[in-house]
Structures are given as structure tokens and as C-alpha cells.
Amino acid sequence: MATSTYGWTERRTSAGAGAVAGRRAPLDVAAVRRDFPILDQTVDGKPLVYLDNAASSQKPRQVVEAIGAYYLRDHANVHRGVHELARRATEAYEYARERVARWLNAAGPHELVWTRGATEALNLVAFSVGRARVGHGDEIVVSEMEHHSNLVPWQLLAERRGAKLRHVGLTDDGRLDLDHLAALLGSRTRVVSLPHVSNALGTINPARDIAALVRERTGAVYVLDGAQGAPHLPVDVRALGCDFYAFSGHKMCGPTGVGGLWGRRALLEEMPPYQGGGEMIERVYANHSTWAEAPHKFEAGTPNIAGAVGLAAAVEYLDGVGLAAIHGHERALTRNAMVLLSGVEGLRILGPANAEERAGVVPFVIEGASAQDVATILDAEGIAVRAGHHCAQLVVDRYGVPATTRASFYLYNTVEEVRRLAEGVTAARRILLE
């Protein structure tokens, strides 16, 4: 009988053969960059500087090769098939679930639901928890820091169920106002859903402290939007104290169109299905159906098998480099960027002044200059950043700006690229304002 050859346990990054998860050795950026061929190109004759990682990260060749190997050798639909390719595909798909669940320190793979990304994961929670736990007059607590993916689903739920949406305010330096959060929590609070890391400000929120506060004052479900946390921080869902953790593969070196929802088993079992169709049923009758156990209850239809395979490869890659090393590298880049950009006349950086309290995200505005114009001038220099409200309109409203230019760093960015960013921003200001 033929066997599948994914080489999960043998895959190593160029950043260090034999690397182990969480190692604290300095990150070898030159070696990491060799794993990302897309970075070795020019834009308008200038070397590409990719600083749009908060929107989507680049993919190492190991991830691309894992997806290719699956499609070239092992593709079939998963579950129930008795032929060899179906067995291999199922093995790869469920191994990927186990591997990613282990990376999150879940109690087991049964706690990981595959989704198309963090957006679908948060919609799933809002729909299913809402049906099970939220009624008329109940309260849902979110914040002014939310990405729209962790705001709009709760708005829809509040409208559908007659619930009230409460918003935790932000301090002037870009933190959640924890005193305000404490004041909002009460006997009618049913859900608290907050970001692990702000995509618009870079703020790393004190998730464990918030969990203790929620547990002390309410019986609410505590949801973390981990779209920006999972790529950059070591994540232990049990230590974080949350009930659900949503994340996206494409922001953490994995493919687009795949992500996941970690949930406590008891809550997943309690929740009704999110969608109906094949795979999520136990038995179908003419007028009703019964449901499969979690997580399959939430996975209607043919899944993104190749995406799961690619995401498992991304987790292997990140573990090989080490999340602690990645975070330390990003923190150093962020510190450097904040120092250099602060020297640009009229430039204001939003978010915490201390780089230790940020992930690798630096949003800024230049007085009198359009954020989009700044980004366009940087693009002409080969520097990719993002301009706008970053799907976080409440944030820009809070700080009285229409938009920001956002530079965001990852494991393959360099100090030289930060220098080029600062030079590009200085030139953009001169072009636009002098």
C-alpha cells in the first residue's frame, strides 16, 4: 500500500536546523528570508520592502511545498471514503487539526473548528452562542478597538435578539480602559469579545487579567479575536482564560481561506450548528436531522483540505523559528521604527508609547498629509504599507483622524528596511508639504 510523505516531523526552517518550539536564540533573519522567495524582487527598480504584514503575511516555501505535495499526490475528499487517496487526505486533514490544536495548547483536536478565517470564526460564535445564550435585554461587551470582524457580527446579534451592545473605551495612549470595562460588566453581561492584539494600534491587551475580571464579575462567555495575536505571540488558550479564540492562517505564514476557532468543549457541545449540509450531520430524516459531535457539527460541506495542510506546515515553520524569538525580533524593529519616525516633523504615532506593549504595528499620521498619499509615495520606493482605517473605524474616530498609514513587521523584516521606511516617510512629507 502506498503511503503519504508529508514529513511533518522532519521539516526544518533554514533559520536553524533542529530548532525547537519557543527557543530563545536570536532570530537569523537572513536565513529566514531565504525561505520567502517573494521578498527577492524589485518594485519600480527598488528592492521590495514588505511592511503590510498585519493585512497578510508572506508564505515560506515550506508551506507552498506542503500544499503542492498534497495536491500532486494525495488529494481526495475527506472522511468516509474507503479508497487510498481518501485515507491519505483524511489523515493529512485531521493531522493538521491535531497539530494546530497542539500549537494552541488546546485540550485536544476536538476543540478546534476549521473556518475560512477569523472573520468566519467570530461570526460562528456570534450566531451560535447568540442562539444559545443571548436574549432580549442582555448585554454584549466589545470595545472601540475592534476590527469590524469583531464588531459587526455582534451588532447583528444584538439587533436580532434585542440585546444591548456596550463599548469599552480607549485611553489616549491606545489601551483598553480597564476601569471602564469593569464598570460595564454586570448581571446581564452574556458575552465579552475583545482583541488579543489591536490590528489598528498594535496594542497587546492584558488578556489574562481581563479573563479574571470577567470571571469575577459575570458568567459571560469570553471571546478573543486572535487574528493579530496568533502570528506574533506564543498562544496558550488555556492559560489565557478565554472561552473562544479565533485566528486566520494567512496572517501567520499560512494560506488564505483557512483559519480556526478554538472553543471549550462544553460550550461547543452546547452550541447549535452554524450552517447546514453534508458532514455536520449524524442522521438525516425527512423533517429533521441530528448533529455530529463537535467540531464536525460546525463544518458543513467539503472543507479547505489543502488550506488545513498548509496551515499545519505554517505552524511547523513558526515553531521551528520560535514564537518567542519572532516576538523579540518584531519588538526590536518596532522600537527602532518608533524612534526613527518620531524624528519626522509633524508625525504622530498612534498607540502605546512603549514598544514593549505593542506587536509589530506602527500606525502614524503626518499633519496636513493624506495617509493614502504617503502610502502611494512609499510604494514608488518599493515600500509596501497600508493606508486607511484598517477595518477599525471606531479607532480612527476615537483619535480624530480620517485614516493612518500603517507599517507592520514580521519575522523576515530587517533593520535596514526600517531605515528605508523612515527615509521614505521623510521624503513623502517633503514632497507633500514643502
Side-chain angles (χ1 to χ4, degrees):
M1 179 181 293
T3 58
S4 180
T5 53
Y6 284 90
W8 301 111
T9 58
E10 282 129 20
R11 182 177 290 109
R12 292 289 184 264
T13 70
S14 301
V20 296
R23 69 183 176 89
R24 295 185 180 273
L27 192 149
D28 186 345
V29 185
V32 167
R33 287 179 70 88
R34 288 194 290 272
D35 291 330
F36 293 83
I38 196 171
L39 300 176
D40 187 21
Q41 63 176 288
T42 60
V43 175
D44 290 334
K46 301 178 179 67
L48 170 66
V49 175
Y50 186 78
L51 301 179
D52 194 21
N53 295 287
S56 195
S57 71
Q58 300 300 338
K59 323 304 173 193
R61 64 175 77 248
Q62 290 87 343
V63 169
V64 178
E65 289 168 357
I67 295 169
Y70 165 75
Y71 273 130
L72 291 173
R73 178 178 171 82
D74 297 326
H75 172 68
N77 214 332
V78 293
H79 305 138
R80 297 184 307 281
V82 298
H83 60 79
E84 174 65 12
L85 293 187
R87 184 193 66 77
R88 287 190 212 162
T90 301
E91 178 186 83
Y93 180 68
E94 292 301 340
Y95 170 79
R97 190 194 306 272
E98 187 277 330
R99 183 64 184 87
V100 176
R102 182 157 34 98
W103 185 72
L104 294 165
N105 196 32
H110 55 273
E111 291 188 333
L112 176 60
V113 179
W114 291 122
T115 66
R116 291 178 296 165
T119 296
E120 184 177 42
L122 292 164
N123 274 273
L124 190 165
V125 176
F127 178 86
S128 295
V129 166
R131 284 184 60 189
R133 290 186 168 233
V134 177
H136 186 81
D138 288 338
E139 296 180 351
I140 303 159
V141 175
V142 292
S143 77
E144 293 180 336
M145 190 183 280
E146 305 307 329
H147 187 283
H148 298 162
S149 293
N150 198 36
L151 177 60
V152 177
W154 301 111
Q155 290 175 340
L156 294 172
L157 172 63
E159 182 179 358
R160 194 165 60 240
R161 306 291 285 183
K164 297 177 182 177
L165 210 57
R166 311 294 296 276
H167 298 82
V168 182
L170 303 182
T171 64
D172 290 343
D173 62 350
R175 308 164 197 262
L176 289 175
D177 185 336
L178 297 185
D179 290 336
H180 188 210
L181 170 61
L184 292 179
L185 299 176
S187 61
R188 298 304 300 267
T189 307
R190 296 293 178 261
V191 177
V192 177
S193 191
L194 299 169
H196 191 184
V197 173
S198 167
N199 77 302
L201 298 169
T203 311
I204 300 172
N205 289 316
R208 296 185 194 187
D209 294 342
I210 293 171
L213 186 62
V214 172
R215 299 283 177 255
E216 174 190 326
R217 294 178 176 243
T218 77
V221 169
Y222 176 34
V223 184
L224 277 178
D225 172 4
Q228 297 294 335
H232 306 287
L233 304 173
V235 175
D236 181 336
V237 289
R238 287 187 277 183
L240 285 171
C242 57
D243 296 302
F244 295 98
Y245 194 91
F247 60 98
S248 289
H250 73 99
K251 295 182 188 291
M252 48 186 281
C253 295
T256 56
V258 70
L261 175 70
W262 170 82
R264 295 188 186 279
R265 179 64 181 268
L267 288 170
L268 292 175
E269 291 296 347
E270 166 193 313
M271 290 156 53
Y274 173 52
Q275 297 175 319
E279 187 63 30
M280 48 76 67
I281 53 88
E282 177 187 56
R283 179 73 166 82
V284 171
Y285 301 91
N287 296 308
H288 75 283
S289 298
T290 57
W291 315 129
E293 292 186 355
H296 298 289
K297 173 172 63 172
F298 301 105
E299 296 176 0
T302 300
N304 186 354
I305 307 163
V309 168
L311 184 50
V315 164
E316 291 277 347
Y317 186 87
L318 293 174
D319 266 349
V321 178
L323 265 295
I326 292 170
H327 182 53
H329 174 67
E330 291 174 355
R331 192 167 49 209
L333 294 177
T334 302
R335 214 166 24 233
N336 194 9
M338 292 176 71
V339 169
L340 292 177
L341 291 174
S342 294
V344 178
E345 184 180 351
L347 187 145
R348 170 189 172 199
I349 296 173
L350 275 66
N354 186 351
E356 310 296 311
E357 299 175 35
R358 290 178 180 261
V361 175
V362 180
F364 59 91
V365 294
I366 299 176
E367 185 178 358
S370 157
Q372 286 79 4
D373 288 346
V374 172
T376 300
I377 293 171
L378 289 174
D379 179 57
E381 295 299 315
I383 303 168
V385 296
R386 190 155 292 253
H389 53 64
H390 315 295
C391 292
Q393 286 183 299
L394 297 188
V395 172
V396 295
D397 289 348
R398 166 63 175 83
Y399 296 107
V401 297
T404 68
T405 306
R406 182 185 69 185
S408 50
F409 312 110
Y410 209 13
L411 71 166
Y412 38 67
N413 292 124
T414 67
V415 172
E416 171 61 18
E417 290 179 327
V418 172
R419 184 190 64 78
R420 282 188 58 194
L421 169 68
E423 290 178 350
V425 171
T426 301
R429 185 200 175 280
R430 184 173 61 251
I431 292 167
L432 294 170
L433 299 178
E434 295 181 3

